Amino acid sequence: MKRFQLGLLIGAIALIVLSWWNIVAARSGLVVRTLEQENIPLIYVAPALANSGANSVPGVLVAHGYAGSKQLMLGYAHVLAHAGYAVMLWDFDGHGANPNRLQRYDLQSNLDVGLRALLEQPEVDRTRLAVLGHSMGSGIAMSAGIQNLDRFAATIAVSPTGAAVTPQAPRNLQMQAGSWEGRFISNAERILQTGGGENKNFAAGTARELVIVPNVEHITILFSDRSHESAVRWLDATFNQTHSSPYRDRRMAWYGLHLLGGLLLIGAVAPTVAGWFEPDRMKISAIKRWGGLLLAPLPGVAGLVLLNSRINLQSLGGVQVGGAIGLWFLIAGSIWLALLGRIPRLSGRRIAIGFGLFVLLWFAFGAMAQVVWLQWWLIPTRLQVWLPFALACLPWFLASGIAQQGAGNGERFAWWFAQSAILIGGFVLTLNFLPELGFVFLLLPLFPPLIAVLSFVVASLDEAWISSIASALFFGWVLAAGFPLSG
């Protein structure tokens, strides 16, 4: 290993260790318990009473949105717990680590399980309770506040959907919406109007407020200091508490540093691995390489439209929407490969190294994600669809790897930008014909960063089969982890 590679390796390890140190430090002074009740996985986060000086603290239920998980809401849990609140999070049916298939009309019962688990915790004052929810979870949270008027003293709806709100129910309702999510702002304004308008009458339980969180959209609002602080302020006003916690949730920044460290680790070992192979580059014209990228999405869209009348795309593969995305990649990628006209040699060594590279990618992206923002570990039901999803995505990433072989840094940047734009455009076009797949929109903002990570892998090795195997396994894992299990 050359001196430069050794320096990268040492730097990568330092970043990874520093990141984990700060993630552990964020839990200082907190009680964190992992629970399971009635087959529903839960996480409980609360202040250690010995440090807070209190006999008990108010309890808050925190509900995630569609295609989310309890991990995605951990930012609220940490901020609220540091401010003196006990928080219970759980995975709704079909989400995260919950193996039950998604049945929309049964989700209220999941919240009831979370409530029973919260009331069992020794730190919780059973007479002081509140509920917070995001998107799909906001509607469930508001409904819980309406149906349990005497139990929940406050309700916080982030990116609110809808519920039968009145001037009296739920009690002390705060709504939050990002300035970049117009539809949810409209929902919130409508609910605020039917709920009696803004006021601060906490004593009567009729307080109402709408907070517009600047410069965030449907997902980034969950990591916004303004959103977290607004929730704490509203709960403090409800329960007549004052806290001066200096804590700000910076775990996503440490996660980003961990990801950078993981990529540097790949960059450190990649030149050594690349030296094990003779370059297997093929001369393919720019028209075929770029033309294939531009044209391949069209048959992907057409294929889904034609198949929609024959198969249930929404629950294909047992995962809502994820199976349709995998099928789109299979069709579009196969067409792109056909237009390229040539495929490099495959060998057992390339397959083995591709799996090894996937393991490094898996660690860089997901090892810390599991405790910061994403249910990364796949339960058995999801693990069963991982390899089929990966095989479906393989043609696209193989074509991408072949097309980029020998490219310089500037051209690779162009490939990253073009692929991101083409994928977003291709799926937007798909939704124009198949609006029932609308939750694909949840993945669109992730395409640029995901393709950036995979483009780095392609550039590090410049070996099409190795990079495509790693990329397909990784992207298949993302699909298997991210979307709900269908009923």
Side-chain angles (χ1 to χ4, degrees):
M1 183 175 284
K2 297 180 180 179
R3 183 175 297 179
F4 176 73
Q5 293 174 253
L6 185 59
L8 276 183
L9 182 61
I10 294 172
I13 294 173
L15 289 178
I16 292 170
V17 171
L18 177 64
S19 301
W20 278 106
W21 177 275
N22 281 278
I23 290 296
V24 172
R27 292 188 171 191
S28 177
L30 301 181
V31 172
V32 181
R33 302 187 184 111
T34 300
L35 312 168
E36 182 173 318
Q37 291 198 6
E38 299 181 33
N39 214 29
I40 295 177
L42 308 101
I43 296 177
Y44 173 71
V45 185
L49 293 185
N51 297 327
S52 68
N55 294 322
S56 60
V57 296
V60 184
L61 296 175
V62 174
H64 66 77
Y66 181 86
S69 66
K70 57 189 180 301
Q71 279 86 348
L72 192 58
M73 306 298 288
L74 276 172
Y76 293 97
H78 278 75
V79 171
L80 290 173
H82 279 288
Y85 294 90
V87 181
M88 185 65 73
L89 313 98
W90 66 94
D91 288 331
F92 280 116
D93 286 351
H95 291 75
N98 189 326
N100 302 314
R101 300 288 176 171
L102 176 61
Q103 303 291 338
R104 269 183 197 279
Y105 301 104
D106 293 338
L107 295 183
Q108 194 71 46
S109 64
N110 292 170
L111 184 144
D112 294 337
V113 172
L115 174 60
R116 289 193 291 272
L118 179 67
L119 295 176
E120 292 172 1
Q121 306 309 310
E123 297 84 3
V124 175
D125 182 345
R126 299 165 63 98
T127 66
R128 295 185 293 167
L129 300 175
V131 60
L132 180 153
H134 171 245
S135 192
M136 176 187 76
S138 73
I140 297 168
M142 287 187 287
S143 295
I146 293 167
Q147 295 165 14
N148 300 273
L149 200 59
D150 295 330
R151 183 177 291 279
F152 295 114
T155 298
I156 299 173
V158 182
S159 304
T161 50
V165 171
T166 70
Q168 289 76 38
R171 294 167 63 194
N172 298 332
L173 172 64
Q174 181 194 71
M175 290 176 290
Q176 300 181 16
S179 61
W180 296 345
E181 47 176 357
R183 179 166 64 89
F184 292 95
I185 294 176
S186 300
N187 286 345
E189 291 173 341
R190 175 181 53 79
I191 294 170
L192 185 64
Q193 183 177 10
T194 60
E198 290 203 2
N199 73 87
K200 295 295 189 291
N201 195 349
F202 288 97
T206 59
R208 300 284 184 265
E209 180 182 59
L210 170 58
V211 177
I212 304 299
V213 182
N215 305 320
V216 295
E217 43 72 55
H218 197 59
I219 300 300
T220 52
I221 191 174
L222 302 178
F223 307 103
S224 165
D225 288 342
R226 174 73 180 277
S227 176
H228 299 161
E229 292 164 1
S230 296
V232 171
R233 174 180 54 78
W234 193 256
L235 294 176
D236 283 350
T238 296
F239 297 112
N240 196 27
Q241 296 196 158
T242 55
H243 294 97
S244 57
S245 170
Y247 179 81
R248 298 292 181 272
D249 192 54
R250 296 292 178 263
R251 293 170 313 114
M252 278 298 289
W254 294 115
Y255 166 78
L257 206 63
H258 181 274
L259 176 59
L260 175 61
L263 294 178
L264 290 179
L265 181 62
I266 292 173
V269 302
T272 300
V273 174
W276 298 347
F277 298 91
E278 288 293 328
D280 188 15
R281 296 176 184 166
M282 300 168 292
K283 292 184 178 180
I284 300 175
S285 67
I287 293 177
K288 289 184 177 181
R289 292 185 292 121
W290 287 97
L293 174 62
L294 293 172
L295 294 176
L298 298 179
V301 174
L304 289 193
V305 172
L306 292 173
L307 290 171
N308 186 51
S309 61
R310 296 174 174 83
I311 58 177
N312 184 0
L313 291 177
Q314 285 183 288
S315 59
L316 183 63
V319 177
Q320 289 198 351
V321 179
I325 294 174
L327 182 58
W328 189 97
F329 271 92
L330 175 63
I331 297 170
S334 299
I335 295 298
W336 192 3
L337 273 180
L339 292 173
L340 290 174
R342 296 184 63 186
I343 297 177
R345 295 189 303 272
L346 178 61
S347 65
R349 176 182 282 191
R350 285 180 168 86
I351 295 173
I353 295 175
F355 268 91
L357 182 57
F358 159 72
V359 171
L360 291 179
L361 259 179
W362 185 98
F363 170 80
F365 187 89
M368 185 174 284
Q370 177 70 23
V371 296
V372 174
W373 72 282
L374 176 66
Q375 175 64 46
W376 188 244
W377 287 97
L378 296 184
I379 59 175
T381 306
R382 294 183 180 276
L383 198 59
Q384 293 173 10
V385 302
W386 165 48
L387 287 178
F389 281 1
L391 288 172
C393 296
L394 181 61
W396 178 275
F397 290 109
L398 180 56
S400 176
I402 295 170
Q404 294 181 64
Q405 283 187 321
N409 291 333
E411 188 179 357
R412 289 192 184 280
F413 178 83
W415 274 108
W416 162 76
F417 181 84
Q419 275 200 85
S420 300
I422 289 296
L423 288 173
I424 292 173
F427 280 105
V428 168
L429 183 60
T430 301
L431 294 176
N432 185 60
F433 293 100
L434 300 172
E436 60 269 29
L437 300 179
F439 282 105
V440 170
F441 272 118
L442 294 173
L443 189 61
L444 298 187
L446 295 178
F447 274 128
L450 284 176
I451 296 300
V453 169
L454 298 180
S455 295
F456 176 83
V457 172
V458 174
S460 297
L461 278 172
D462 202 20
E463 215 293 334
W465 270 115
I466 294 177
S467 62
S468 64
I469 289 171
S471 297
L473 290 171
F474 172 80
F475 198 80
W477 192 283
V478 170
L479 293 181
F483 290 95
L485 299 173
S486 58

